[in-house]
Amino acid sequence: IVAVFKSPHFCSRKLFYCMLSPREIEVTQLIADGMTDREIGEKLDISHKTVSTHRKNILRKLGLKNTALLIRYGLEHKLIK
């Protein structure tokens, strides 16, 4: 059952927030706002390498291949504005 809920095919808005940490959700919104890893790092007071790691983890958790698909996923599921 857990595998079903972790699958991106079954990931509703509610499950999106369960799958990602609060920081990953924050990073996703900033990515959607068009910020670079360096800009996000400065805003959140973390290294741009940490931002890159968050981005990779977000993509892995959602089963996505790249940032463009992340933005598309977020828009389709009304997770980002």
Side-chain angles (χ1 to χ4, degrees):
I1 279 186
V2 173
V4 170
F5 289 113
K6 291 287 184 179
S7 168
H9 301 292
F10 292 93
C11 186
S12 69
R13 183 181 178 101
K14 186 175 182 180
L15 288 176
F16 171 84
Y17 289 106
C18 293
M19 289 176 66
L20 300 182
S21 71
R23 180 63 97 183
E24 289 169 338
I25 293 168
E26 186 175 20
V27 168
T28 300
Q29 184 61 58
L30 295 173
I31 291 169
D33 290 343
M35 295 179 76
T36 66
D37 286 357
R38 287 193 187 276
E39 291 169 334
I40 294 169
E42 289 176 14
K43 181 174 179 78
L44 300 180
D45 198 29
I46 59 177
S47 164
H48 71 278
K49 291 181 181 182
T50 302
V51 175
S52 178
T53 299
H54 283 309
R55 181 190 302 262
K56 288 175 190 172
N57 289 337
I58 293 163
L59 295 174
R60 179 183 48 79
K61 287 180 179 183
L62 297 177
L64 302 172
K65 293 182 182 180
N66 57 49
T67 303
L69 291 174
L70 173 62
I71 301 307
R72 182 175 171 188
Y73 178 93
L75 291 170
E76 287 176 354
H77 291 86
K78 296 181 173 56
L79 302 169
I80 56 177
K81 300 173 185 177

